[in-house]
Structure formats: structure tokens, C-alpha cells
Amino acid sequence: MSFQRARKAEQIQERRQEILDAAWELFVEGGLEMVTFSTIAMKISFTRQTIYTYYRSRDEVLLDLLGIHVKEFYEQIKQMFPKGEYVTQHEFCHRLAAHLLTHKNLLLLFSLHIMLEQNSRYENILVYKRIMYEAFPTFDAILHEQCPDTPDEAFCHFCITIMIYIGSIYPLLDQTPLQMKALREAMGGLEVPSEEETIMSSLTLMTASFHFVGDTLAGTSEQG
């Protein structure tokens, strides 16, 4: 009897994953408009109607997708700053900026997370919230090693700020030529910073009060 329950649970997970894999493929190919239960059904081994057994709405599918990719995003950040390797403030910001710029699809979903939550069931929202707030232990562990002399309060403020930043930055990275033309004109013809320059500037401000071991080591090396 227990074997049958386990088998059923395994089948449920497999079907959910099949739905999520198809939805992500559609999203990457054509954006949000491409992700519907009808288009998902064309890519999976069961019917559109069966999808409703696992998800009530498209937004629940997208919220689960967001949670999966946010988790991967944090895991990759951990790997970017291995223990025992100290970086300067500039290098810390540069690695984070590059990471953000290579995850624009994630940033788009992240910018919509409030809307997705509003159209999802509590259990889906709870799973996502738990994943999202893994940002705190992820960045806290990295910053405690990279900046051990920085007050804990500064780390807490950074974690809150970076989550808000990640959730709001996408529109700046997806402007049409017409929007860019209007922005240049609104700025009086000044040069519009590049995406990397914009993110680097923001991250530099967020970490301005941090004391990076890497900067101290770099200073010692220069003096030597």
C-alpha cells in the first residue's frame, strides 16, 4: 500500500515537472504570452484538462517556475564566492552585476511576482516565499566572510535592498529603441549609462559601507 502511495506521489511530481519544463521552454521562446494551458498541453504527454489537476491557473505555474529558478540563482551566487577566496568591493559588485545580466528571464518573472502571488493558492505562495527569503542566509554567509568587520545590521539592510532591487530592475533592462530615444532626450542629450554601468553603480552604493577583506589585501599588496 505504501509503495502505491509513493508511486502516485512520484507520478504527480513527474507530471508537475513536465508542465514546468514545457512552460519554461515556451516562456524563453516567446515570453509570457506564449505560456497558456493550451500551448503547454501541446508539449506534454497529457491533456490540457489534466493540467488543472495540478495547477489552477497559469500564474501558479509561473510562480512555481520562478521559485525553482530563484533557488538556482542563489545556488549559483554561492558558487561565485567560494570560501577562502576574498574579493574587492568592485569585484563583488562586478560578479553580481554579470550574474543579473545573464538572468533576464528570471528578472522578468521576479518583477511580476506580486501579480503571480495574487492569482495563486496559499500553498504555492508559501513555497515561493520560503525560497525567496533564502536570500538572507545566502548573502549573509557570503558577506560575513568577505566583510567580517562590517556590522550585521548593514548585511540585513543589504539583503532587503537587493531583493527589492532584483524585483524592480527588469524594466530598465528591456527598454525599446523608442524608450531609449525618449530617455536620452529627457536627459538633455547626455549619454545613457549601459546596463552594466547602471547595475554596478547601484550595487556599489548598496555596499558602500562594507569593509571587504579583498580591498585590505589589495592595499597591502600595493604597498608591498
Side-chain angles (χ1 to χ4, degrees), residues 86-98:
Y86 297 107
V87 299
T88 63
Q89 180 196 15
H90 177 83
E91 180 61 21
F92 177 82
C93 295
H94 174 72
R95 291 185 189 183
L96 274 186

Side-chain angles (χ1 to χ4, degrees), residues 149-162:
D149 296 332
T150 301
D152 288 347
E153 185 179 3
F155 297 157
C156 183
H157 288 165
F158 175 83
C159 289
I160 294 171
T161 305
I162 193 69

Side-chain angles (χ1 to χ4, degrees), residues 2-104:
S2 61
F3 173 77
Q4 291 179 340
R5 284 197 297 270
R7 186 176 179 183
K8 184 177 179 181
E10 183 179 346
Q11 185 184 52
I12 290 172
Q13 183 55 40
E14 286 175 355
R15 287 193 165 186
R16 279 182 178 272
Q17 192 59 53
E18 191 174 350
I19 292 168
L20 292 170
D21 289 344
W24 182 252
E25 185 178 339
L26 288 163
F27 175 65
V28 172
E29 286 175 359
L32 290 171
E33 294 76 12
M34 281 290 292
V35 185
T36 67
F37 279 11
S38 295
T39 54
I40 291 172
M42 295 173 66
K43 286 182 170 287
I44 58 179
S45 62
F46 45 94
T47 66
R48 175 178 177 273
Q49 192 59 37
T50 305
I51 297 174
Y52 285 97
T53 306
Y54 306 97
Y55 289 101
R56 187 177 64 182
S57 67
R58 180 191 76 156
D59 287 351
E60 286 188 351
V61 175
L62 293 172
L63 189 64
D64 274 9
L65 266 182
L66 176 57
I68 289 170
H69 287 277
V70 165
K71 191 170 184 177
E72 291 177 358
F73 182 81
Y74 292 153
E75 287 301 320
Q76 290 163 359
I77 288 176
K78 291 177 186 177
Q79 295 169 17
M80 285 161 46
F81 300 100
K83 286 187 176 295
E85 180 188 336
Y86 297 107
V87 299
T88 63
Q89 180 196 15
H90 177 83
E91 180 61 21
F92 177 82
C93 295
H94 174 72
R95 291 185 189 183
L96 274 186
H99 193 53
L100 288 167
L101 287 171
T102 56
H103 288 79
K104 288 187 179 181

Side-chain angles (χ1 to χ4, degrees), residues 16 54-68 70 110 112-134:
R16 279 182 178 272
Y54 306 97
Y55 289 101
R56 187 177 64 182
S57 67
R58 180 191 76 156
D59 287 351
E60 286 188 351
V61 175
L62 293 172
L63 189 64
D64 274 9
L65 266 182
L66 176 57
I68 289 170
V70 165
F110 212 151
L112 301 172
H113 76 92
I114 295 298
M115 180 193 74
L116 300 179
E117 289 177 13
Q118 289 173 346
N119 296 313
S120 298
R121 286 169 289 186
Y122 176 78
E123 53 265 34
N124 299 78
I125 299 170
L126 180 60
V127 169
Y128 169 68
K129 292 289 191 186
R130 284 174 171 164
I131 293 172
M132 185 176 72
Y133 280 94
E134 278 298 306

